[in-house]
Amino acid sequence: MKKIVLMMALLAIATAVSAQSLNVSSAREAQNRGYLDKAKKLIDPACEHEQTKNDAKTWYYAALIYSQIGGEVDKPRSKYKDLDPDWLNKCTAAALRCKELDTDQEYAQGNGTILSYIGNEFYKKAINAFQAQNWDESMQLCEQSIKMFNEANKREYAMESYMLAGKAAMNANNNDAIKKYFKPLVKTKTKENLVYSTLFKMYQKDGDTVEAIKVAQSYAKNCPDDYNANMMMAQAYMMKGSMEQGNAEIQKALEKTVAQPELHAQLLAAAGATYESVEDFTNAENQYQESLKTLPNQFLANFGLGKMLYNRAVDKLTAANNVPPDDETGLYEKYLDESKNFFRQSIPYFTNAIGFIDALSAEEQGQNRSNLYNCLNALNTVYARLEMYDELKPIKARIEQLQKGN
Protein backbone atom coordinates (compact mmCIF):
# COMPACT_ATOMS: atom_id res chain seq x y z
CA MET A 1 0.00 0.00 0.00
CA LYS A 2 2.84 2.34 0.85
CA LYS A 3 4.43 1.70 -2.53
CA ILE A 4 1.22 2.62 -4.31
CA VAL A 5 0.97 5.92 -2.38
CA LEU A 6 4.57 6.76 -3.18
CA MET A 7 4.07 6.05 -6.85
CA MET A 8 0.97 8.24 -6.91
CA ALA A 9 2.91 11.09 -5.27
CA LEU A 10 5.72 10.79 -7.79
CA LEU A 11 3.20 10.77 -10.59
CA ALA A 12 1.58 13.94 -9.20
CA ILE A 13 4.96 15.69 -9.06
CA ALA A 14 5.82 14.63 -12.59
CA THR A 15 2.44 15.85 -13.80
CA ALA A 16 2.96 19.22 -12.09
CA VAL A 17 6.41 19.63 -13.63
CA SER A 18 5.07 18.67 -17.00
CA ALA A 19 2.18 21.11 -16.61
CA GLN A 20 4.44 24.02 -15.78
CA SER A 21 6.85 23.19 -18.61
CA LEU A 22 3.84 22.96 -20.88
CA ASN A 23 2.71 26.36 -19.61
CA VAL A 24 6.01 27.90 -20.73
CA SER A 25 5.77 26.26 -24.15
CA SER A 26 2.12 27.21 -24.49
CA ALA A 27 2.88 30.78 -23.44
CA ARG A 28 5.54 30.92 -26.13
CA GLU A 29 3.07 29.61 -28.71
CA ALA A 30 0.40 32.10 -27.64
CA GLN A 31 2.90 34.93 -27.80
CA ASN A 32 3.98 33.85 -31.29
CA ARG A 33 0.36 33.90 -32.43
CA GLY A 34 -0.24 37.34 -30.84
CA TYR A 35 -2.52 36.17 -28.03
CA LEU A 36 -0.82 38.24 -25.35
CA ASP A 37 -3.58 37.90 -22.76
CA LYS A 38 -3.36 34.12 -22.95
CA ALA A 39 0.45 34.20 -22.98
CA LYS A 40 0.48 36.36 -19.83
CA LYS A 41 -2.00 34.04 -18.08
CA LEU A 42 0.24 31.05 -18.82
CA ILE A 43 3.67 32.53 -18.09
CA ASP A 44 2.85 34.17 -14.75
CA PRO A 45 2.27 30.89 -12.84
CA ALA A 46 5.39 29.37 -14.39
CA CYS A 47 7.46 32.28 -13.01
CA GLU A 48 6.26 31.39 -9.51
CA HIS A 49 6.27 27.60 -9.59
CA GLU A 50 9.15 25.85 -7.83
CA GLN A 51 9.91 23.64 -10.81
CA THR A 52 10.18 26.41 -13.45
CA LYS A 53 11.03 29.61 -11.60
CA ASN A 54 14.77 28.85 -11.72
CA ASP A 55 14.86 28.21 -15.46
CA ALA A 56 16.29 30.99 -17.67
CA LYS A 57 13.88 29.93 -20.42
CA THR A 58 10.86 30.79 -18.26
CA TRP A 59 12.11 34.29 -17.56
CA TYR A 60 13.20 34.90 -21.12
CA TYR A 61 9.70 34.25 -22.41
CA ALA A 62 8.22 36.27 -19.56
CA ALA A 63 10.42 39.23 -20.54
CA LEU A 64 9.53 38.74 -24.21
CA ILE A 65 5.79 38.61 -23.51
CA TYR A 66 5.85 41.67 -21.28
CA SER A 67 7.96 43.62 -23.77
CA GLN A 68 5.31 42.88 -26.42
CA ILE A 69 2.59 43.98 -24.02
CA GLY A 70 4.53 47.22 -23.65
CA GLY A 71 4.61 47.56 -27.42
CA GLU A 72 0.81 47.66 -27.44
CA VAL A 73 0.47 50.53 -24.95
CA ASP A 74 0.78 53.32 -27.52
CA LYS A 75 -1.62 51.69 -29.97
CA PRO A 76 -5.03 53.28 -29.24
CA ARG A 77 -7.01 50.54 -30.97
CA SER A 78 -5.09 47.61 -29.50
CA LYS A 79 -7.12 45.39 -27.18
CA TYR A 80 -3.92 44.79 -25.20
CA LYS A 81 -2.93 48.40 -24.52
CA ASP A 82 -4.27 48.19 -20.93
CA LEU A 83 -3.41 44.54 -20.34
CA ASP A 84 -0.85 45.29 -17.62
CA PRO A 85 -0.03 48.89 -16.54
CA ASP A 86 2.99 47.57 -14.63
CA TRP A 87 4.43 45.79 -17.66
CA LEU A 88 7.73 47.70 -17.64
CA ASN A 89 8.71 46.77 -14.09
CA LYS A 90 7.70 43.14 -14.67
CA CYS A 91 9.61 43.04 -17.94
CA THR A 92 12.67 44.51 -16.21
CA ALA A 93 12.56 41.95 -13.40
CA ALA A 94 12.13 39.08 -15.86
CA ALA A 95 14.98 40.15 -18.15
CA LEU A 96 17.36 40.61 -15.22
CA ARG A 97 16.39 37.22 -13.77
CA CYS A 98 16.93 35.59 -17.16
CA LYS A 99 20.41 37.07 -17.40
CA GLU A 100 21.22 35.86 -13.90
CA LEU A 101 20.12 32.28 -14.64
CA ASP A 102 21.37 32.05 -18.22
CA THR A 103 24.84 30.79 -17.33
CA ASP A 104 25.41 29.13 -20.73
CA GLN A 105 24.31 32.29 -22.60
CA GLU A 106 21.58 30.44 -24.49
CA TYR A 107 19.24 33.45 -24.37
CA ALA A 108 21.88 36.18 -24.17
CA GLN A 109 21.30 37.72 -27.59
CA GLY A 110 17.51 37.83 -27.41
CA ASN A 111 17.50 38.94 -23.79
CA GLY A 112 20.05 41.63 -24.59
CA THR A 113 17.66 43.05 -27.18
CA ILE A 114 14.89 43.10 -24.58
CA LEU A 115 17.16 44.84 -22.05
CA SER A 116 17.99 47.49 -24.66
CA TYR A 117 14.28 47.92 -25.36
CA ILE A 118 13.64 48.40 -21.64
CA GLY A 119 16.47 50.95 -21.47
CA ASN A 120 14.87 52.92 -24.28
CA GLU A 121 11.47 52.82 -22.58
CA PHE A 122 12.92 54.25 -19.36
CA TYR A 123 14.66 56.91 -21.46
CA LYS A 124 11.34 57.90 -23.07
CA LYS A 125 9.78 58.22 -19.63
CA ALA A 126 12.76 60.31 -18.51
CA ILE A 127 12.14 62.69 -21.42
CA ASN A 128 8.51 63.08 -20.37
CA ALA A 129 9.56 63.82 -16.78
CA PHE A 130 12.13 66.33 -18.05
CA GLN A 131 9.54 68.13 -20.16
CA ALA A 132 7.30 68.29 -17.09
CA GLN A 133 10.27 69.83 -15.21
CA ASN A 134 10.39 66.93 -12.76
CA TRP A 135 14.18 66.99 -12.62
CA ASP A 136 14.75 64.40 -9.89
CA GLU A 137 12.32 61.95 -11.45
CA SER A 138 13.97 62.41 -14.83
CA MET A 139 17.37 61.62 -13.32
CA GLN A 140 16.03 58.50 -11.59
CA LEU A 141 14.50 57.23 -14.82
CA CYS A 142 17.76 57.92 -16.65
CA GLU A 143 19.53 55.85 -13.99
CA GLN A 144 17.23 52.95 -14.82
CA SER A 145 17.83 53.45 -18.52
CA ILE A 146 21.61 53.51 -18.06
CA LYS A 147 21.49 50.36 -15.93
CA MET A 148 19.48 48.46 -18.55
CA PHE A 149 21.76 49.47 -21.41
CA ASN A 150 24.76 48.42 -19.34
CA GLU A 151 23.11 45.08 -18.55
CA ALA A 152 22.61 44.64 -22.29
CA ASN A 153 26.33 45.31 -22.82
CA LYS A 154 25.33 48.30 -24.94
CA ARG A 155 26.96 51.06 -22.92
CA GLU A 156 27.18 53.26 -26.00
CA TYR A 157 23.36 53.38 -26.09
CA ALA A 158 23.34 54.91 -22.60
CA MET A 159 25.05 58.14 -23.66
CA GLU A 160 21.81 59.97 -24.45
CA SER A 161 20.52 59.01 -21.00
CA TYR A 162 23.68 60.41 -19.39
CA MET A 163 23.18 63.61 -21.39
CA LEU A 164 19.54 64.01 -20.40
CA ALA A 165 20.33 63.26 -16.75
CA GLY A 166 23.10 65.87 -16.82
CA LYS A 167 20.72 68.49 -18.19
CA ALA A 168 18.17 67.61 -15.51
CA ALA A 169 20.90 67.94 -12.89
CA MET A 170 21.79 71.38 -14.28
CA ASN A 171 18.17 72.49 -13.93
CA ALA A 172 18.10 71.09 -10.40
CA ASN A 173 21.36 72.94 -9.56
CA ASN A 174 22.81 69.62 -8.40
CA ASN A 175 26.54 69.99 -9.05
CA ASP A 176 27.48 66.53 -7.82
CA ALA A 177 24.95 64.97 -10.19
CA ILE A 178 26.17 67.11 -13.09
CA LYS A 179 29.68 65.73 -12.62
CA LYS A 180 28.33 62.20 -12.18
CA TYR A 181 26.50 62.23 -15.52
CA PHE A 182 28.76 64.44 -17.64
CA LYS A 183 32.15 62.92 -16.77
CA PRO A 184 31.34 59.56 -18.44
CA LEU A 185 30.44 61.50 -21.61
CA VAL A 186 33.91 63.07 -21.66
CA LYS A 187 35.45 59.58 -21.43
CA THR A 188 33.37 58.43 -24.40
CA LYS A 189 34.64 61.38 -26.49
CA THR A 190 31.37 63.25 -26.80
CA LYS A 191 31.25 66.19 -29.22
CA GLU A 192 28.80 68.14 -27.03
CA ASN A 193 30.15 71.58 -26.12
CA LEU A 194 27.65 71.81 -23.24
CA VAL A 195 29.35 68.92 -21.43
CA TYR A 196 32.86 70.38 -21.58
CA SER A 197 31.89 74.00 -20.96
CA THR A 198 29.69 73.11 -17.97
CA LEU A 199 32.34 70.96 -16.30
CA PHE A 200 35.08 73.49 -17.05
CA LYS A 201 33.15 76.37 -15.48
CA MET A 202 32.28 74.25 -12.45
CA TYR A 203 35.89 73.31 -11.82
CA GLN A 204 36.92 76.93 -12.38
CA LYS A 205 34.41 78.07 -9.78
CA ASP A 206 35.60 75.37 -7.39
CA GLY A 207 39.17 76.54 -7.85
CA ASP A 208 40.09 73.05 -9.11
CA THR A 209 42.58 74.08 -11.79
CA VAL A 210 43.85 70.53 -12.33
CA GLU A 211 40.41 69.12 -13.22
CA ALA A 212 39.50 72.18 -15.29
CA ILE A 213 42.63 71.73 -17.40
CA LYS A 214 41.91 68.02 -17.81
CA VAL A 215 38.47 68.85 -19.20
CA ALA A 216 39.96 71.38 -21.63
CA GLN A 217 42.59 68.89 -22.78
CA SER A 218 39.94 66.21 -23.34
CA TYR A 219 37.85 68.66 -25.34
CA ALA A 220 40.80 69.62 -27.54
CA LYS A 221 41.71 65.96 -28.07
CA ASN A 222 38.17 64.77 -28.77
CA CYS A 223 37.11 67.75 -30.91
CA PRO A 224 40.24 69.06 -32.67
CA ASP A 225 38.23 71.04 -35.25
CA ASP A 226 36.02 72.83 -32.70
CA TYR A 227 37.10 76.45 -32.13
CA ASN A 228 35.40 76.31 -28.73
CA ALA A 229 37.96 73.70 -27.70
CA ASN A 230 40.75 76.12 -28.61
CA MET A 231 39.14 78.87 -26.57
CA MET A 232 38.82 76.56 -23.58
CA MET A 233 42.47 75.53 -23.93
CA ALA A 234 43.39 79.23 -24.03
CA GLN A 235 41.63 79.76 -20.70
CA ALA A 236 43.31 76.65 -19.29
CA TYR A 237 46.77 77.85 -20.29
CA MET A 238 46.09 81.30 -18.88
CA MET A 239 44.92 79.74 -15.61
CA LYS A 240 48.39 78.20 -15.40
CA GLY A 241 50.02 81.51 -16.29
CA SER A 242 51.09 80.30 -19.75
CA MET A 243 50.05 83.43 -21.60
CA GLU A 244 51.97 82.71 -24.79
CA GLN A 245 50.33 79.31 -25.24
CA GLY A 246 46.97 80.87 -24.40
CA ASN A 247 47.46 83.50 -27.10
CA ALA A 248 48.34 80.78 -29.60
CA GLU A 249 45.12 78.88 -28.87
CA ILE A 250 43.04 82.04 -29.29
CA GLN A 251 44.65 82.65 -32.67
CA LYS A 252 43.88 79.06 -33.73
CA ALA A 253 40.24 79.58 -32.81
CA LEU A 254 40.03 82.87 -34.69
CA GLU A 255 41.61 81.36 -37.79
CA LYS A 256 38.88 78.71 -37.87
CA THR A 257 36.11 81.35 -38.07
CA VAL A 258 37.65 84.06 -40.24
CA ALA A 259 35.40 83.17 -43.19
CA GLN A 260 32.26 83.68 -41.05
CA PRO A 261 32.15 87.39 -40.05
CA GLU A 262 29.34 87.18 -37.51
CA LEU A 263 30.77 84.13 -35.77
CA HIS A 264 34.26 85.64 -36.00
CA ALA A 265 33.01 88.80 -34.28
CA GLN A 266 31.42 86.72 -31.49
CA LEU A 267 34.66 84.83 -31.01
CA LEU A 268 36.68 88.06 -30.85
CA ALA A 269 34.34 89.24 -28.09
CA ALA A 270 34.84 85.91 -26.29
CA ALA A 271 38.60 86.36 -26.67
CA GLY A 272 38.23 89.81 -25.10
CA ALA A 273 36.42 88.27 -22.13
CA THR A 274 39.16 85.66 -21.79
CA TYR A 275 41.89 88.30 -21.63
CA GLU A 276 39.78 90.32 -19.24
CA SER A 277 39.47 87.32 -16.90
CA VAL A 278 43.26 87.34 -16.41
CA GLU A 279 43.33 91.16 -16.18
CA ASP A 280 45.12 91.62 -19.50
CA PHE A 281 43.03 94.69 -20.21
CA THR A 282 45.06 95.91 -23.19
CA ASN A 283 44.58 92.72 -25.18
CA ALA A 284 40.98 92.50 -23.97
CA GLU A 285 40.16 95.95 -25.33
CA ASN A 286 41.95 95.19 -28.60
CA GLN A 287 39.84 92.07 -29.11
CA TYR A 288 36.59 93.85 -28.24
CA GLN A 289 37.42 96.70 -30.62
CA GLU A 290 38.37 94.27 -33.39
CA SER A 291 35.02 92.55 -32.88
CA LEU A 292 33.22 95.88 -33.26
CA LYS A 293 35.15 96.63 -36.45
CA THR A 294 34.05 93.28 -37.85
CA LEU A 295 30.43 93.69 -36.73
CA PRO A 296 29.59 97.16 -35.34
CA ASN A 297 25.92 96.47 -34.63
CA GLN A 298 26.03 93.77 -31.95
CA PHE A 299 25.46 93.19 -28.24
CA LEU A 300 28.37 91.02 -27.09
CA ALA A 301 31.36 93.27 -27.74
CA ASN A 302 29.50 96.47 -26.80
CA PHE A 303 28.33 95.03 -23.52
CA GLY A 304 31.63 93.24 -22.89
CA LEU A 305 33.70 96.39 -23.35
CA GLY A 306 31.24 98.52 -21.40
CA LYS A 307 31.23 96.01 -18.55
CA MET A 308 35.03 95.81 -18.48
CA LEU A 309 35.36 99.60 -18.28
CA TYR A 310 32.62 99.74 -15.65
CA ASN A 311 34.35 97.11 -13.51
CA ARG A 312 37.66 98.92 -13.79
CA ALA A 313 35.91 102.09 -12.65
CA VAL A 314 34.51 100.24 -9.62
CA ASP A 315 37.99 98.89 -8.82
CA LYS A 316 39.43 102.41 -8.88
CA LEU A 317 36.58 103.65 -6.71
CA THR A 318 37.31 100.88 -4.21
CA ALA A 319 40.99 101.78 -4.24
CA ALA A 320 40.09 105.44 -3.59
CA ASN A 321 37.93 104.49 -0.63
CA ASN A 322 40.80 102.44 0.79
CA VAL A 323 43.18 105.40 0.85
CA PRO A 324 43.84 106.42 4.50
CA PRO A 325 42.00 109.63 5.50
CA ASP A 326 45.26 111.31 6.49
CA ASP A 327 46.96 110.68 3.12
CA GLU A 328 48.21 113.93 1.62
CA THR A 329 49.72 112.58 -1.62
CA GLY A 330 46.61 113.19 -3.71
CA LEU A 331 46.17 109.45 -4.23
CA TYR A 332 42.46 109.59 -3.36
CA GLU A 333 41.77 112.25 -6.01
CA LYS A 334 43.87 110.34 -8.55
CA TYR A 335 41.89 107.13 -8.09
CA LEU A 336 38.62 109.07 -8.12
CA ASP A 337 39.49 110.77 -11.43
CA GLU A 338 40.52 107.46 -12.97
CA SER A 339 37.25 105.92 -11.81
CA LYS A 340 35.19 108.68 -13.39
CA ASN A 341 37.18 108.39 -16.59
CA PHE A 342 36.45 104.67 -16.88
CA PHE A 343 32.76 105.27 -16.08
CA ARG A 344 32.65 107.93 -18.79
CA GLN A 345 34.29 105.64 -21.36
CA SER A 346 31.72 102.90 -20.73
CA ILE A 347 28.71 105.06 -21.67
CA PRO A 348 28.74 104.68 -25.48
CA TYR A 349 29.16 100.91 -25.29
CA PHE A 350 26.23 100.42 -22.90
CA THR A 351 24.19 102.82 -25.02
CA ASN A 352 25.00 100.86 -28.18
CA ALA A 353 24.13 97.58 -26.46
CA ILE A 354 20.75 99.00 -25.41
CA GLY A 355 20.15 100.33 -28.92
CA PHE A 356 20.86 96.89 -30.36
CA ILE A 357 18.28 95.26 -28.05
CA ASP A 358 15.69 97.99 -28.73
CA ALA A 359 15.94 97.25 -32.48
CA LEU A 360 15.12 93.56 -32.03
CA SER A 361 11.69 92.01 -32.57
CA ALA A 362 9.28 91.91 -29.63
CA GLU A 363 10.02 88.21 -29.07
CA GLU A 364 13.78 88.77 -29.13
CA GLN A 365 13.45 91.74 -26.78
CA GLY A 366 11.65 89.45 -24.35
CA GLN A 367 14.55 87.01 -24.54
CA ASN A 368 16.97 89.86 -23.78
CA ARG A 369 15.18 91.45 -20.82
CA SER A 370 17.93 90.49 -18.38
CA ASN A 371 20.61 91.89 -20.72
CA LEU A 372 18.66 95.13 -21.07
CA TYR A 373 18.19 95.34 -17.31
CA ASN A 374 21.93 94.87 -16.72
CA CYS A 375 22.81 97.63 -19.19
CA LEU A 376 20.27 100.05 -17.74
CA ASN A 377 21.40 99.37 -14.18
CA ALA A 378 25.01 99.96 -15.16
CA LEU A 379 24.15 103.26 -16.85
CA ASN A 380 22.07 104.25 -13.83
CA THR A 381 25.19 103.94 -11.65
CA VAL A 382 27.42 105.63 -14.22
CA TYR A 383 25.19 108.69 -14.62
CA ALA A 384 24.74 108.98 -10.86
CA ARG A 385 28.50 108.83 -10.26
CA LEU A 386 29.15 111.40 -12.96
CA GLU A 387 26.27 113.59 -11.74
CA MET A 388 24.65 113.48 -15.18
CA TYR A 389 21.15 113.84 -13.80
CA ASP A 390 19.37 114.78 -17.03
CA GLU A 391 20.61 111.57 -18.65
CA LEU A 392 19.77 109.63 -15.48
CA LYS A 393 16.01 110.36 -15.49
CA PRO A 394 15.00 108.35 -18.61
CA ILE A 395 17.19 105.46 -17.49
CA LYS A 396 15.43 105.31 -14.12
CA ALA A 397 12.07 105.44 -15.87
CA ARG A 398 12.96 102.46 -18.08
CA ILE A 399 14.21 100.47 -15.08
CA GLU A 400 10.91 101.12 -13.29
CA GLN A 401 8.99 99.94 -16.36
CA LEU A 402 10.98 96.72 -16.48
CA GLN A 403 10.44 96.13 -12.79
CA LYS A 404 6.69 96.48 -13.34
CA GLY A 405 6.89 93.93 -16.12
CA ASN A 406 6.30 96.39 -18.95
Side-chain angles (χ1 to χ4, degrees):
M1 187 67 178
K2 289 182 180 180
K3 289 183 180 180
I4 295 174
V5 171
L6 179 60
M7 287 178 63
M8 292 296 291
L10 289 172
L11 180 61
I13 292 171
T15 303
V17 172
S18 176
Q20 291 308 317
S21 297
L22 184 61
N23 272 355
V24 175
S25 298
S26 298
R28 174 186 178 184
E29 178 64 23
Q31 169 261 321
N32 283 337
R33 297 176 65 184
Y35 300 140
L36 296 181
D37 51 349
K38 183 178 179 181
K40 172 179 162 27
K41 192 175 293 184
L42 289 165
I43 202 65
D44 284 349
C47 291
E48 296 178 1
H49 197 277
E50 288 295 327
Q51 301 301 325
T52 48
K53 72 177 185 180
N54 294 317
D55 188 344
K57 178 181 179 180
T58 303
W59 293 103
Y60 172 66
Y61 284 112
L64 185 59
I65 289 165
Y66 276 107
S67 69
Q68 291 192 353
I69 290 171
E72 299 297 309
V73 170
D74 294 328
K75 298 177 182 178
R77 296 184 180 180
S78 172
K79 65 179 180 179
Y80 298 127
K81 68 185 184 68
D82 298 317
L83 183 57
D84 194 325
D86 195 34
W87 72 268
L88 183 55
N89 289 326
K90 291 178 179 178
C91 187
T92 301
L96 291 175
R97 183 62 174 152
C98 174
K99 184 177 181 180
E100 180 185 353
L101 295 171
D102 189 24
T103 54
D104 58 1
Q105 302 289 290
E106 182 179 355
Y107 303 100
Q109 184 174 352
N111 198 50
T113 300
I114 295 171
L115 286 165
S116 294
Y117 172 76
I118 295 168
N120 191 59
E121 288 299 307
F122 276 118
Y123 176 67
K124 285 159 59 177
K125 288 180 176 293
I127 291 175
N128 292 336
F130 186 92
Q131 291 173 340
Q133 300 185 8
N134 296 328
W135 314 124
D136 288 339
E137 181 184 351
S138 183
M139 283 187 276
Q140 290 168 7
L141 289 164
C142 283
E143 287 276 0
Q144 289 284 81
S145 174
I146 291 165
K147 179 183 177 182
M148 292 302 106
F149 284 130
N150 286 340
E151 291 286 351
N153 296 317
K154 297 291 184 181
R155 192 170 186 273
E156 66 276 15
Y157 293 176
M159 294 306 106
E160 289 187 22
S161 298
Y162 276 111
M163 189 71 190
L164 182 64
K167 290 179 178 178
M170 289 176 66
N171 285 314
N173 295 314
N174 188 334
N175 289 345
D176 289 338
I178 293 171
K179 293 174 185 176
K180 175 183 177 181
Y181 296 123
F182 277 176
K183 286 173 75 173
L185 290 171
V186 173
K187 292 180 181 178
T188 54
K189 301 181 180 180
T190 181
K191 305 297 182 185
E192 292 286 346
N193 170 265
L194 177 67
V195 172
Y196 299 104
S197 60
T198 301
L199 287 174
F200 186 77
K201 289 173 185 175
M202 286 178 63
Y203 288 127
Q204 268 188 317
K205 188 176 180 180
D206 294 342
D208 193 340
T209 303
V210 173
E211 287 300 321
I213 291 172
K214 284 182 182 178
V215 171
Q217 290 172 333
S218 295
Y219 193 9
K221 182 180 178 181
N222 297 340
C223 309
D225 298 326
D226 190 339
Y227 60 86
N228 289 303
N230 296 114
M231 291 299 294
M232 190 178 289
M233 277 303 300
Q235 292 182 64
Y237 280 129
M238 290 178 178
M239 285 168 65
K240 294 197 301 182
S242 304
M243 300 302 294
E244 186 174 341
Q245 290 174 298
N247 289 334
E249 291 293 333
I250 288 174
Q251 292 310 309
K252 288 179 187 178
L254 292 172
E255 287 168 9
K256 291 176 180 177
T257 61
V258 71
Q260 304 170 70
E262 187 168 345
L263 179 58
H264 192 63
Q266 292 175 4
L267 201 58
L268 284 163
T274 300
Y275 283 119
E276 182 186 350
S277 69
V278 293
E279 298 185 359
D280 184 350
F281 299 119
T282 300
N283 268 324
E285 183 165 359
N286 289 340
Q287 297 298 316
Y288 283 131
Q289 293 290 7
E290 190 64 31
S291 177
L292 289 170
K293 286 180 184 177
T294 305
L295 188 70
N297 187 27
Q298 59 159 299
F299 176 81
L300 283 178
N302 276 307
F303 179 71
L305 189 47
K307 178 176 63 67
M308 185 183 79
L309 293 166
Y310 178 94
N311 288 337
R312 295 195 72 186
V314 171
D315 289 341
K316 293 295 182 181
L317 191 60
T318 301
N321 291 332
N322 289 335
V323 173
D326 57 352
D327 181 86
E328 297 181 359
T329 65
L331 190 59
Y332 174 81
E333 287 77 13
K334 176 180 178 295
Y335 284 143
L336 206 59
D337 287 343
E338 290 175 348
S339 175
K340 288 181 178 181
N341 187 41
F342 280 128
F343 276 135
R344 194 172 291 109
Q345 289 179 53
S346 74
I347 293 173
Y349 301 110
F350 284 130
T351 302
N352 289 341
I354 291 169
F356 176 81
I357 294 173
D358 287 345
L360 296 173
S361 67
E363 181 181 354
E364 290 171 321
Q365 285 182 26
Q367 295 168 355
N368 280 273
R369 281 179 70 89
S370 61
N371 288 333
L372 178 61
Y373 190 76
N374 289 336
C375 289
L376 291 169
N377 260 335
L379 273 184
N380 184 68
T381 301
V382 170
Y383 288 143
R385 284 287 173 185
L386 298 177
E387 299 179 352
M388 299 172 65
Y389 299 117
D390 289 341
E391 292 81 355
L392 180 60
K393 290 177 182 178
I395 297 298
K396 280 187 173 296
R398 291 200 65 176
I399 291 173
E400 288 174 2
Q401 284 182 333
L402 281 176
Q403 290 173 338
K404 291 177 182 178
N406 297 329

